[in-house]
Amino acid sequence: MQHAATEITAPDTDNLPAYWQFHEAVARAQLAAWLPPGRRVLVDVSGRRAPSAELAARAGHSVVRVIAPGGRPPGPAQSAGPVQVIADLCRLDFLADGCADGVIADDRALSMQLAAETMIAEIARVLRPGGRVLACVDSLVLGMAVLADQHHWAHLVDLPHAEVVLVPWPDGSITRCYGPDQARELFTGAGLKVHRIRPRTALSESTVTHLLQRAPDSLPKLVRAELAARSDSSLGAQLVISASKPRPRKGLTVPFGVLGLAVDAAGRVRTRVKPARRNLTPAVDAPAVAVILEAAERGEDAIALAAGRR
């Protein structure tokens, strides 16, 4: 199914093996460039075919590879390989909150899961603050090519503006396709910060095939050129998304002013709130705070008042 992307977008091409050799080399290089330094705990939800879990384990990381139920069971785990678990990719209940330094969702994982919002929410949950995610999805370009190949012309008009795009695949399955805006919205909706969206490959199939036919040993140079390319994220049959889980903002102490307030970054009142030394002044559009009044100003004991938006 993975190779069907180019078979549909370039049906008259007789040199697909050369291009897919390049495509897979690029995917491996992008993963290697993304992997964090040192020994980290990574979760791989990419599926059975993707080599990402094994590649990350070889790089020295501790990897939990989650495989969806059904089909061929995973092979025996190697001593230095990933730990393999069969589970629902949208319900990672066996993983604790914030347990992973990174999550890999390669090989169209978020396209094969039609309820991708549930899956990305689980990915965000198991990521620690500052943890990263690398994902690959089918693009709207591919979805439009599939629909055109099936002569569904009426569906192409509003396709770029649809919130959710589900495209029937030639083998009877359904894939969820994303434009850059839809992919960004999916990740930000789960509280993740998107750093980059780019096509899996920017170099065209014809260009790659032509160069590999002339110089079969030029594959490493082509891969380096692809990684360095600054490409339009709206192009390409697949999109690669790099994102992270934001770290919580550090506590901010506001200097004591006329209200004698001290609030942290989340708008909660800090415990050390000193009495104000001047008359009270309205705080317009301020976050919720606690106010302490001078006993001398009220003629009574100091009291705390909860101020809403004032």
PDB file of all heavy atoms in Angstrom, residues 209-229:
ATOM      1  N   THR A 209      14.786   9.137 -10.766  1.00  0.00           N
ATOM      2  CA  THR A 209      15.002   7.983 -11.633  1.00  0.00           C
ATOM      3  C   THR A 209      16.063   8.280 -12.684  1.00  0.00           C
ATOM      4  O   THR A 209      16.957   7.455 -12.951  1.00  0.00           O
ATOM      5  CB  THR A 209      13.687   7.587 -12.317  1.00  0.00           C
ATOM      6  OG1 THR A 209      12.725   7.245 -11.319  1.00  0.00           O
ATOM      7  CG2 THR A 209      13.901   6.404 -13.248  1.00  0.00           C
ATOM      8  N   HIS A 210      15.995   9.459 -13.280  1.00  0.00           N
ATOM      9  CA  HIS A 210      16.973   9.842 -14.307  1.00  0.00           C
ATOM     10  C   HIS A 210      18.398   9.868 -13.740  1.00  0.00           C
ATOM     11  O   HIS A 210      19.335   9.323 -14.352  1.00  0.00           O
ATOM     12  CB  HIS A 210      16.608  11.214 -14.878  1.00  0.00           C
ATOM     13  CG  HIS A 210      17.603  11.750 -15.846  1.00  0.00           C
ATOM     14  ND1 HIS A 210      17.763  11.227 -17.122  1.00  0.00           N
ATOM     15  CD2 HIS A 210      18.518  12.757 -15.743  1.00  0.00           C
ATOM     16  CE1 HIS A 210      18.716  11.888 -17.752  1.00  0.00           C
ATOM     17  NE2 HIS A 210      19.190  12.823 -16.929  1.00  0.00           N
ATOM     18  N   LEU A 211      18.566  10.466 -12.571  1.00  0.00           N
ATOM     19  CA  LEU A 211      19.903  10.565 -11.987  1.00  0.00           C
ATOM     20  C   LEU A 211      20.429   9.198 -11.551  1.00  0.00           C
ATOM     21  O   LEU A 211      21.620   8.897 -11.720  1.00  0.00           O
ATOM     22  CB  LEU A 211      19.871  11.523 -10.795  1.00  0.00           C
ATOM     23  CG  LEU A 211      19.637  12.998 -11.146  1.00  0.00           C
ATOM     24  CD1 LEU A 211      19.495  13.826  -9.881  1.00  0.00           C
ATOM     25  CD2 LEU A 211      20.775  13.540 -12.009  1.00  0.00           C
ATOM     26  N   LEU A 212      19.568   8.359 -11.000  1.00  0.00           N
ATOM     27  CA  LEU A 212      20.022   7.039 -10.564  1.00  0.00           C
ATOM     28  C   LEU A 212      20.359   6.137 -11.750  1.00  0.00           C
ATOM     29  O   LEU A 212      21.226   5.251 -11.641  1.00  0.00           O
ATOM     30  CB  LEU A 212      18.964   6.378  -9.693  1.00  0.00           C
ATOM     31  CG  LEU A 212      18.795   6.968  -8.293  1.00  0.00           C
ATOM     32  CD1 LEU A 212      17.696   6.249  -7.524  1.00  0.00           C
ATOM     33  CD2 LEU A 212      20.096   6.917  -7.505  1.00  0.00           C
ATOM     34  N   GLN A 213      19.672   6.335 -12.868  1.00  0.00           N
ATOM     35  CA  GLN A 213      20.013   5.563 -14.061  1.00  0.00           C
ATOM     36  C   GLN A 213      21.375   5.975 -14.616  1.00  0.00           C
ATOM     37  O   GLN A 213      22.145   5.131 -15.072  1.00  0.00           O
ATOM     38  CB  GLN A 213      18.928   5.745 -15.132  1.00  0.00           C
ATOM     39  CG  GLN A 213      17.641   4.999 -14.834  1.00  0.00           C
ATOM     40  CD  GLN A 213      16.580   5.243 -15.882  1.00  0.00           C
ATOM     41  OE1 GLN A 213      16.628   6.247 -16.613  1.00  0.00           O
ATOM     42  NE2 GLN A 213      15.611   4.338 -15.959  1.00  0.00           N
ATOM     43  N   ARG A 214      21.669   7.262 -14.553  1.00  0.00           N
ATOM     44  CA  ARG A 214      22.962   7.740 -15.059  1.00  0.00           C
ATOM     45  C   ARG A 214      24.093   7.421 -14.100  1.00  0.00           C
ATOM     46  O   ARG A 214      25.198   7.104 -14.521  1.00  0.00           O
ATOM     47  CB  ARG A 214      22.905   9.252 -15.293  1.00  0.00           C
ATOM     48  CG  ARG A 214      21.973   9.667 -16.425  1.00  0.00           C
ATOM     49  CD  ARG A 214      22.073  11.151 -16.666  1.00  0.00           C
ATOM     50  NE  ARG A 214      23.446  11.569 -16.924  1.00  0.00           N
ATOM     51  CZ  ARG A 214      23.836  12.833 -17.042  1.00  0.00           C
ATOM     52  NH1 ARG A 214      22.944  13.813 -16.878  1.00  0.00           N
ATOM     53  NH2 ARG A 214      25.086  13.140 -17.290  1.00  0.00           N
ATOM     54  N   ALA A 215      23.824   7.519 -12.795  1.00  0.00           N
ATOM     55  CA  ALA A 215      24.866   7.284 -11.786  1.00  0.00           C
ATOM     56  C   ALA A 215      24.248   6.516 -10.621  1.00  0.00           C
ATOM     57  O   ALA A 215      23.755   7.130  -9.662  1.00  0.00           O
ATOM     58  CB  ALA A 215      25.470   8.600 -11.323  1.00  0.00           C
ATOM     59  N   PRO A 216      24.232   5.195 -10.674  1.00  0.00           N
ATOM     60  CA  PRO A 216      23.599   4.403  -9.609  1.00  0.00           C
ATOM     61  C   PRO A 216      24.185   4.653  -8.227  1.00  0.00           C
ATOM     62  O   PRO A 216      23.502   4.429  -7.224  1.00  0.00           O
ATOM     63  CB  PRO A 216      23.846   2.963 -10.061  1.00  0.00           C
ATOM     64  CG  PRO A 216      24.041   3.049 -11.543  1.00  0.00           C
ATOM     65  CD  PRO A 216      24.730   4.363 -11.775  1.00  0.00           C
ATOM     66  N   ASP A 217      25.435   5.112  -8.146  1.00  0.00           N
ATOM     67  CA  ASP A 217      26.057   5.359  -6.847  1.00  0.00           C
ATOM     68  C   ASP A 217      25.770   6.752  -6.302  1.00  0.00           C
ATOM     69  O   ASP A 217      26.365   7.166  -5.302  1.00  0.00           O
ATOM     70  CB  ASP A 217      27.569   5.153  -6.948  1.00  0.00           C
ATOM     71  CG  ASP A 217      28.220   6.083  -7.969  1.00  0.00           C
ATOM     72  OD1 ASP A 217      27.476   6.704  -8.767  1.00  0.00           O
ATOM     73  OD2 ASP A 217      29.463   6.188  -7.975  1.00  0.00           O
ATOM     74  N   SER A 218      24.860   7.493  -6.956  1.00  0.00           N
ATOM     75  CA  SER A 218      24.568   8.866  -6.522  1.00  0.00           C
ATOM     76  C   SER A 218      23.461   8.933  -5.474  1.00  0.00           C
ATOM     77  O   SER A 218      23.049  10.030  -5.102  1.00  0.00           O
ATOM     78  CB  SER A 218      24.178   9.724  -7.727  1.00  0.00           C
ATOM     79  OG  SER A 218      22.982   9.244  -8.329  1.00  0.00           O
ATOM     80  N   LEU A 219      22.984   7.793  -4.993  1.00  0.00           N
ATOM     81  CA  LEU A 219      21.886   7.795  -4.023  1.00  0.00           C
ATOM     82  C   LEU A 219      22.212   8.600  -2.766  1.00  0.00           C
ATOM     83  O   LEU A 219      21.391   9.418  -2.328  1.00  0.00           O
ATOM     84  CB  LEU A 219      21.502   6.361  -3.657  1.00  0.00           C
ATOM     85  CG  LEU A 219      20.360   6.211  -2.645  1.00  0.00           C
ATOM     86  CD1 LEU A 219      19.075   6.842  -3.168  1.00  0.00           C
ATOM     87  CD2 LEU A 219      20.135   4.736  -2.306  1.00  0.00           C
ATOM     88  N   PRO A 220      23.388   8.438  -2.129  1.00  0.00           N
ATOM     89  CA  PRO A 220      23.684   9.248  -0.940  1.00  0.00           C
ATOM     90  C   PRO A 220      23.650  10.749  -1.216  1.00  0.00           C
ATOM     91  O   PRO A 220      23.179  11.527  -0.378  1.00  0.00           O
ATOM     92  CB  PRO A 220      25.083   8.785  -0.534  1.00  0.00           C
ATOM     93  CG  PRO A 220      25.202   7.407  -1.098  1.00  0.00           C
ATOM     94  CD  PRO A 220      24.454   7.450  -2.385  1.00  0.00           C
ATOM     95  N   LYS A 221      24.119  11.166  -2.391  1.00  0.00           N
ATOM     96  CA  LYS A 221      24.086  12.588  -2.730  1.00  0.00           C
ATOM     97  C   LYS A 221      22.656  13.076  -2.894  1.00  0.00           C
ATOM     98  O   LYS A 221      22.306  14.186  -2.478  1.00  0.00           O
ATOM     99  CB  LYS A 221      24.888  12.834  -4.011  1.00  0.00           C
ATOM    100  CG  LYS A 221      26.383  12.560  -3.889  1.00  0.00           C
ATOM    101  CD  LYS A 221      27.091  12.841  -5.201  1.00  0.00           C
ATOM    102  CE  LYS A 221      28.581  12.552  -5.091  1.00  0.00           C
ATOM    103  NZ  LYS A 221      29.284  12.786  -6.373  1.00  0.00           N
ATOM    104  N   LEU A 222      21.812  12.239  -3.502  1.00  0.00           N
ATOM    105  CA  LEU A 222      20.411  12.619  -3.667  1.00  0.00           C
ATOM    106  C   LEU A 222      19.716  12.756  -2.315  1.00  0.00           C
ATOM    107  O   LEU A 222      18.911  13.672  -2.110  1.00  0.00           O
ATOM    108  CB  LEU A 222      19.686  11.578  -4.524  1.00  0.00           C
ATOM    109  CG  LEU A 222      19.941  11.621  -6.028  1.00  0.00           C
ATOM    110  CD1 LEU A 222      19.310  10.420  -6.702  1.00  0.00           C
ATOM    111  CD2 LEU A 222      19.392  12.910  -6.618  1.00  0.00           C
ATOM    112  N   VAL A 223      20.015  11.850  -1.397  1.00  0.00           N
ATOM    113  CA  VAL A 223      19.403  11.912  -0.070  1.00  0.00           C
ATOM    114  C   VAL A 223      19.845  13.182   0.648  1.00  0.00           C
ATOM    115  O   VAL A 223      19.017  13.873   1.273  1.00  0.00           O
ATOM    116  CB  VAL A 223      19.760  10.657   0.745  1.00  0.00           C
ATOM    117  CG1 VAL A 223      19.291  10.810   2.190  1.00  0.00           C
ATOM    118  CG2 VAL A 223      19.139   9.420   0.112  1.00  0.00           C
ATOM    119  N   ARG A 224      21.122  13.521   0.579  1.00  0.00           N
ATOM    120  CA  ARG A 224      21.594  14.760   1.219  1.00  0.00           C
ATOM    121  C   ARG A 224      20.937  15.978   0.599  1.00  0.00           C
ATOM    122  O   ARG A 224      20.578  16.937   1.297  1.00  0.00           O
ATOM    123  CB  ARG A 224      23.118  14.846   1.118  1.00  0.00           C
ATOM    124  CG  ARG A 224      23.856  13.860   2.012  1.00  0.00           C
ATOM    125  CD  ARG A 224      25.319  14.236   2.140  1.00  0.00           C
ATOM    126  NE  ARG A 224      26.027  14.145   0.864  1.00  0.00           N
ATOM    127  CZ  ARG A 224      26.646  13.047   0.437  1.00  0.00           C
ATOM    128  NH1 ARG A 224      26.623  11.936   1.171  1.00  0.00           N
ATOM    129  NH2 ARG A 224      27.273  13.049  -0.727  1.00  0.00           N
ATOM    130  N   ALA A 225      20.771  15.971  -0.725  1.00  0.00           N
ATOM    131  CA  ALA A 225      20.108  17.090  -1.397  1.00  0.00           C
ATOM    132  C   ALA A 225      18.657  17.207  -0.952  1.00  0.00           C
ATOM    133  O   ALA A 225      18.137  18.310  -0.752  1.00  0.00           O
ATOM    134  CB  ALA A 225      20.193  16.910  -2.908  1.00  0.00           C
ATOM    135  N   GLU A 226      17.997  16.062  -0.753  1.00  0.00           N
ATOM    136  CA  GLU A 226      16.606  16.085  -0.302  1.00  0.00           C
ATOM    137  C   GLU A 226      16.488  16.656   1.104  1.00  0.00           C
ATOM    138  O   GLU A 226      15.606  17.469   1.392  1.00  0.00           O
ATOM    139  CB  GLU A 226      16.044  14.667  -0.344  1.00  0.00           C
ATOM    140  CG  GLU A 226      14.623  14.541   0.158  1.00  0.00           C
ATOM    141  CD  GLU A 226      13.639  15.322  -0.688  1.00  0.00           C
ATOM    142  OE1 GLU A 226      13.481  15.015  -1.863  1.00  0.00           O
ATOM    143  OE2 GLU A 226      13.036  16.282  -0.141  1.00  0.00           O
ATOM    144  N   LEU A 227      17.364  16.260   1.994  1.00  0.00           N
ATOM    145  CA  LEU A 227      17.299  16.746   3.371  1.00  0.00           C
ATOM    146  C   LEU A 227      17.562  18.246   3.444  1.00  0.00           C
ATOM    147  O   LEU A 227      17.046  18.932   4.336  1.00  0.00           O
ATOM    148  CB  LEU A 227      18.310  15.999   4.240  1.00  0.00           C
ATOM    149  CG  LEU A 227      18.055  14.496   4.438  1.00  0.00           C
ATOM    150  CD1 LEU A 227      19.110  13.898   5.360  1.00  0.00           C
ATOM    151  CD2 LEU A 227      16.664  14.246   4.999  1.00  0.00           C
ATOM    152  N   ALA A 228      18.365  18.757   2.531  1.00  0.00           N
ATOM    153  CA  ALA A 228      18.696  20.183   2.541  1.00  0.00           C
ATOM    154  C   ALA A 228      17.692  21.023   1.774  1.00  0.00           C
ATOM    155  O   ALA A 228      17.737  22.257   1.839  1.00  0.00           O
ATOM    156  CB  ALA A 228      20.092  20.392   1.960  1.00  0.00           C
ATOM    157  N   ALA A 229      16.771  20.390   1.046  1.00  0.00           N
ATOM    158  CA  ALA A 229      15.834  21.137   0.198  1.00  0.00           C
ATOM    159  C   ALA A 229      14.848  21.922   1.047  1.00  0.00           C
ATOM    160  O   ALA A 229      14.330  21.429   2.046  1.00  0.00           O
ATOM    161  CB  ALA A 229      15.094  20.176  -0.726  1.00  0.00           C
TER     162      ALA A 229
END
